[in-house]
Amino acid sequence: MLLKKTNPSTWIQFFSGEELKKELNNIDNLSEQKLDELSELFLKDFKNGQLEPHGWPVEGGYPAYKVSKALANAYSRIIAKKHPTLCINCVHPGYVNTDMNFHTGVLTVEEGTRGALILALLPKGGMTGAYLDCTEVASFV
């Protein structure tokens, strides 16, 4: 059973700019073109050392990784809206113990796959445009 999580782990939580958060959360005005524009803006701000003043993630490092995840999440909602007969969702598996993070993760690979399995086994007509934090439905923002 999927539950609504009260303290979700979202990629957008790393953004300090309210305008950026608002744009990425507004599914009615979000488009592939808008995501391309935001991606280009991020690259420009990154090159010019303007991430923090413009509200991009900087705390904790890895700003490009965090932005790419937020944009991928937003893109999944755009595609879900565009194709409502398909089940299109995204999942954050959690901090999984893998080679990529030098085995510093707190979840086993098996635990990290649970959310993806839940989504893969959704029945026809199941939820779409959702974001799972591990195995729980979470808010995008």
Side-chain angles (χ1 to χ4, degrees):
M1 179 166 126
L2 297 174
L3 304 172
K4 182 75 174 168
K5 194 168 185 181
T6 55
N7 292 316
S9 170
T10 64
W11 294 106
I12 204 165
Q13 74 186 2
F14 298 108
F15 288 63
S16 62
E18 291 304 315
E19 190 62 34
L20 284 172
K21 289 180 182 182
K22 187 188 281 185
E23 284 189 71
L24 286 168
N25 194 45
N26 187 348
I27 188 61
D28 293 328
N29 293 325
L30 210 50
S31 66
E32 293 173 50
Q33 179 181 343
K34 185 62 181 171
L35 289 184
D36 286 344
E37 290 169 6
L38 287 170
S39 179
E40 289 174 21
L41 181 60
F42 170 76
L43 292 173
K44 178 183 168 194
D45 288 345
F46 184 82
K47 288 177 188 174
N48 294 328
Q50 294 295 308
L51 293 182
E52 189 169 13
H54 292 157
W56 298 104
V58 290
E59 194 173 321
Y62 308 106
Y65 182 80
K66 293 171 183 171
V67 170
S68 72
K69 295 303 178 189
L71 293 177
N73 290 352
Y75 184 63
S76 72
R77 291 181 299 126
I78 291 169
I79 298 301
K81 184 179 175 186
K82 193 175 190 178
H83 302 283
T85 59
L86 300 176
C87 289
I88 301 172
N89 302 287
C90 60
V91 62
H92 177 309
Y95 193 43
V96 180
N97 186 348
T98 64
D99 291 343
M100 187 171 130
N101 62 26
F102 306 102
H103 298 282
T104 59
V106 296
L107 299 175
T108 66
V109 172
E110 292 78 11
E111 291 168 327
T113 60
R114 288 181 181 158
L117 242 126
I118 287 170
L119 294 178
L121 297 173
L122 283 173
K124 184 176 182 175
M127 77 173 159
T128 189
Y131 169 69
L132 265 64
D133 180 16
C134 295
T135 60
E136 299 176 305
V137 176
S139 167
F140 181 69
V141 176

